[in-house]
Amino acid sequence: MDLISEAMMPCNSPVVHQDSHHGCTRRCFLLTGAGGIAGATLAAASCRSASGTTNPAPLAGVRSATPADLQNLVGDGRKRRILLRGAAVLSLDPEVGDFEGADVLIDGKTIARIAPTIPAGDAEVVDCSGTIVMPGFITTHNHQYEAIQRSIIPDGLLAGAWPLETYGSVVQNIWTAGRIVEPGNPGHVIWDLGRVPYDPEDCYIAELIACLSQISEGVTCGTDTSQSSHTPAHTDALIKGLEDSGRRMVFAYSPGTDRSAEGVPYEFPGAMNDTSKGIGRIASKYFTAKDQLVTLGFGGGAGPAFQGAPYTGWQLARAFGASLSNHVVGNPTGIIAAAADARNGTDWSDVTFIHATRWQDNPVAAIGARSAAYPNSSQSKAWEIARDRGAHVSIAILIEMQMRHGMPPFQQALNHGILPSLSPDVETNMTTDPFSLMRGAFCLQRALANDLAFKESNPGDLPVPQLVTSRQVIEMATIAGAAANRILHKVGTLTPGKEADIIVLDARNINTWPMNNVPGTIVTMMNPRHVRDVLIAGKVVYWKGKLVGWDVDRLLRQAEQARDRVLARINGPAKVGALPPGNNSFSNPYRPNFLGDCCHKGENVTAPEYVLRP
């Protein structure tokens, strides 16, 4: 039985699966879906918190829009006209221009007109004086299934084997695969649950809270590269979570943990001309309409689609109309090999390379303008290929700085004429907040370039690069994201005829007013609490700082219950061995360190611990 069928059944049905740890059915998770508050009211009231107590009263700050909040603005976005009146309008479209004060008319799904004054006619008028109206933010890479693991390893690095606590060992080995193998000896399994810790409904609620959280931050579109397609049911739950959220998304179909040798169904990646499994199945089941909000991407690489395949992963994806998202941390030779394989073509405008760190041909310590660098040239065959073939680049600015992927490659992208998009990557380590992403990009590029202005910091006498502007990083977070996600013809700018993915930012605020520069206010002053309203395809999904159609307090309880279920499974009976103690986490039972440093013990053995004074 699939998840959707279960969601339609009464809670006391004998075939609805009870979770052995918390007594909460799958239906509890799925009813708080597209039906929002109404659906949540119908969900089983017996769901309890991890401690077994009844659900607490809603917390202060949990924000759900009520009907009284909405001024008749909620409904079918295709049948309503809305006039956003009197805002500073940042269209980002040079043909349209920007306005110190203007109106934006939305007719159903689309932007109908932008002008200094537009007659209201039959439109619902929304007072936007003291606000900035602009395109919604668009990101291009996020592992959304990890949302129930938020900040689990905030001090952790990307790589390192257990008992080091890193993204690889904690998030990928323990929480995702349910398996730890001996470093350098993958045939020796140290601990194996015999199953993945997530069930499909855990993936569903993680996707849902990730999407709704980012809607509240003004991110109207993202790319989900969740590496948890462990079974067809897991994949279906991931997609259902995206669909139910009402957010525009690219589902970049990615592998999970293959336990087919143990009798568990596994279908990634599928096969050419086969709609019964893998990408072919989900393409034919979920991605058949041209105007839908959730579109298909693929996380497979440019090599053989699977062992022995006569075609590449890119060929497989393109056969089913999917865009391509590939992680490339270091390894510029992989880009060179992909280009050498004629099967991958020469038009890479459907490809987004994620991270793109450490692609230079030779070691460098500093990078200046053009190809200047020290002590070697910054020439890069991989960057030249990406530039010449029209590929896109997604930079996870905060994560790359924090997790040791390498220096975020803004200067390399700019030097090769590529406007990169921005991505949050993993909530296990960092926020998805787009203002933090923009501010990080703005400050890092300027810091590295500005440092070259001082002789003592520039032994190679490199030319100082141009400094990025506030407006340019806004374009990274809108236009470049739309182009990478292959939807720039639909969104990314405020252009009449495009779909109305729009955010309204509160600028008449104690910490941003008086406003003297619009792009600068957005990038250097604002944060998510300045997001007042959000529309996606003309539909109001966030209104006056509140999510529309969702019982937020219930969602928070469901997210906590999902986290607790997964943690309980991790601590349950194992098929092989027992989970060894980590360097920082609590053991017997395993639990992430709640109050202390999460990951630093054993992380660095080349330098002494700091001894600091305030």
Side-chain angles (χ1 to χ4, degrees), residues 105-382:
L105 179 63
I106 301 159
D107 190 351
K109 292 175 60 176
T110 62
I111 300 167
R113 188 181 174 198
I114 302 173
T117 304
I118 299 174
D122 61 351
E124 294 280 351
V125 178
V126 178
D127 180 9
C128 291
S129 56
T131 74
I132 301 166
V133 168
M134 64 171 289
F137 299 120
I138 300 172
T139 61
T140 47
H141 167 228
N142 189 197
H143 301 267
Q144 292 195 177
Y145 83 103
E146 295 167 2
I148 60 173
Q149 300 179 53
R150 283 172 170 164
S151 200
I152 196 171
I153 51 166
D155 307 321
L157 300 178
L158 175 64
W162 191 262
L164 293 178
E165 287 163 57
T166 66
Y167 182 77
S169 67
V170 173
V171 178
Q172 289 294 314
N173 293 165
I174 295 175
W175 287 72
T176 301
R179 177 190 293 142
I180 295 175
V181 300
E182 182 181 347
N185 184 14
H188 180 215
V189 177
I190 297 171
W191 167 77
D192 188 358
L193 282 180
R195 56 158 293 162
V196 297
Y198 275 65
D199 273 355
E201 63 263 34
D202 306 315
C203 291
Y204 173 87
I205 194 65
E207 294 284 0
L208 199 56
I209 64 168
C211 281
L212 296 175
S213 165
Q214 290 175 58
I215 284 174
S216 79
E217 296 170 335
V219 185
T220 53
C221 177
T223 299
D224 177 39
T225 48
S226 287
Q227 296 157 326
S228 52
S229 287
H230 311 298
T231 67
H234 284 83
T235 302
D236 291 349
L238 294 168
I239 297 170
K240 179 63 175 169
L242 300 180
E243 291 178 336
D244 284 358
S245 75
R247 184 173 173 228
R248 194 182 301 275
M249 290 294 300
V250 177
F251 177 67
Y253 182 46
S254 300
T257 300
D258 183 357
R259 290 183 175 268
S260 56
E262 302 162 63
V264 178
Y266 187 73
E267 62 175 355
F268 183 88
M272 201 78 79
N273 302 314
D274 185 351
T275 58
S276 67
K277 65 178 182 296
I279 190 171
R281 180 184 72 84
I282 65 173
S284 61
K285 182 174 181 179
Y286 295 108
F287 301 103
T288 56
K290 292 184 178 181
D291 63 345
Q292 62 191 70
L293 288 177
V294 183
T295 56
L296 180 61
F298 186 64
F306 50 85
Q307 187 173 1
Y311 46 85
T312 70
W314 288 10
Q315 286 180 296
L316 176 61
R318 288 166 172 163
F320 290 101
S323 58
L324 294 154
S325 294
N326 282 181
H327 293 72
V328 190
V329 179
N331 191 31
T333 57
I335 307 299
I336 297 168
D341 190 335
R343 295 176 297 177
N344 290 320
T346 57
D347 179 2
W348 289 7
S349 59
D350 58 351
V351 179
T352 298
F353 292 121
I354 301 163
H355 301 304
T357 52
R358 298 180 279 118
W359 277 13
Q360 62 271 13
D361 293 346
N362 298 295
V364 298
I367 295 174
R370 299 178 293 277
S371 62
Y374 176 81
N376 299 300
S377 166
S378 66
Q379 183 174 354
S380 167
K381 295 184 182 68

Side-chain angles (χ1 to χ4, degrees), residues 77 80 108-109 136 211 214-215 218-221 245-249 293 491 499-503 533-542:
R80 187 194 323 104
K109 292 175 60 176
C211 281
Q214 290 175 58
I215 284 174
V219 185
T220 53
C221 177
S245 75
R247 184 173 173 228
R248 194 182 301 275
M249 290 294 300
L293 288 177
V491 295
E499 295 192 15
D501 285 15
I502 296 175
I503 59 176
D533 312 317
V534 179
L535 296 88
I536 297 177
K539 184 175 182 179
V540 177
V541 294
Y542 191 71

Side-chain angles (χ1 to χ4, degrees), residues 270-567:
M272 201 78 79
N273 302 314
D274 185 351
T275 58
S276 67
K277 65 178 182 296
I279 190 171
R281 180 184 72 84
I282 65 173
S284 61
K285 182 174 181 179
Y286 295 108
F287 301 103
T288 56
K290 292 184 178 181
D291 63 345
Q292 62 191 70
L293 288 177
V294 183
T295 56
L296 180 61
F298 186 64
F306 50 85
Q307 187 173 1
Y311 46 85
T312 70
W314 288 10
Q315 286 180 296
L316 176 61
R318 288 166 172 163
F320 290 101
S323 58
L324 294 154
S325 294
N326 282 181
H327 293 72
V328 190
V329 179
N331 191 31
T333 57
I335 307 299
I336 297 168
D341 190 335
R343 295 176 297 177
N344 290 320
T346 57
D347 179 2
W348 289 7
S349 59
D350 58 351
V351 179
T352 298
F353 292 121
I354 301 163
H355 301 304
T357 52
R358 298 180 279 118
W359 277 13
Q360 62 271 13
D361 293 346
N362 298 295
V364 298
I367 295 174
R370 299 178 293 277
S371 62
Y374 176 81
N376 299 300
S377 166
S378 66
Q379 183 174 354
S380 167
K381 295 184 182 68
W383 276 107
E384 291 167 3
I385 290 167
R387 175 197 63 201
D388 295 343
R389 300 195 177 199
H392 306 278
V393 171
S394 174
I395 300 180
I397 168 68
L398 302 179
I399 287 297
E400 288 153 12
M401 291 193 293
Q402 190 264 339
M403 288 180 68
R404 197 179 285 174
H405 292 66
M407 186 64 72
F410 284 102
Q411 199 59 57
Q412 293 93 321
L414 298 171
N415 285 348
H416 286 85
I418 297 172
L419 181 72
S421 61
L422 304 178
S423 56
D425 200 352
V426 292
E427 286 191 86
T428 58
N429 293 64
M430 192 63 67
T431 180
T432 59
D433 163 19
F435 299 94
S436 293
L437 299 180
M438 289 187 294
R439 201 141 46 233
F442 181 73
C443 291
L444 177 68
Q445 190 275 342
R446 294 174 72 96
L448 294 173
N450 281 333
D451 202 39
L452 295 177
F454 305 105
K455 288 186 177 181
E456 57 268 39
S457 302
N458 189 359
D461 196 27
L462 302 178
V464 177
Q466 289 287 338
L467 304 178
V468 295
T469 66
S470 297
R471 186 182 179 96
Q472 284 170 331
V473 297
I474 291 171
E475 291 172 348
M476 293 178 191
T478 52
I479 294 170
N485 286 345
R486 296 203 300 176
I487 53 173
L488 185 55
H489 62 292
K490 283 188 174 183
V491 295
T493 62
L494 300 187
T495 303
K498 284 191 175 184
E499 295 192 15
D501 285 15
I502 296 175
I503 59 176
V504 180
L505 305 177
D506 174 19
R508 191 175 174 82
N509 190 290
I510 193 64
N511 46 38
T512 53
W513 200 262
M515 182 167 62
N516 297 298
N517 179 271
V518 172
T521 297
I522 295 167
V523 173
T524 70
M525 295 285 157
M526 285 187 162
N527 60 61
R529 79 184 186 95
H530 294 93
V531 179
R532 194 191 80 174
D533 312 317
V534 179
L535 296 88
I536 297 177
K539 184 175 182 179
V540 177
V541 294
Y542 191 71
W543 179 248
K544 294 185 178 179
K546 297 178 181 179
L547 281 165
V548 174
W550 294 95
D551 182 337
V552 176
D553 184 59
R554 185 172 193 86
L555 286 168
L556 299 183
R557 293 196 302 269
Q558 291 175 333
E560 182 181 5
Q561 290 161 354
R563 187 274 316 274
D564 289 350
R565 283 199 306 273
V566 174
L567 186 59

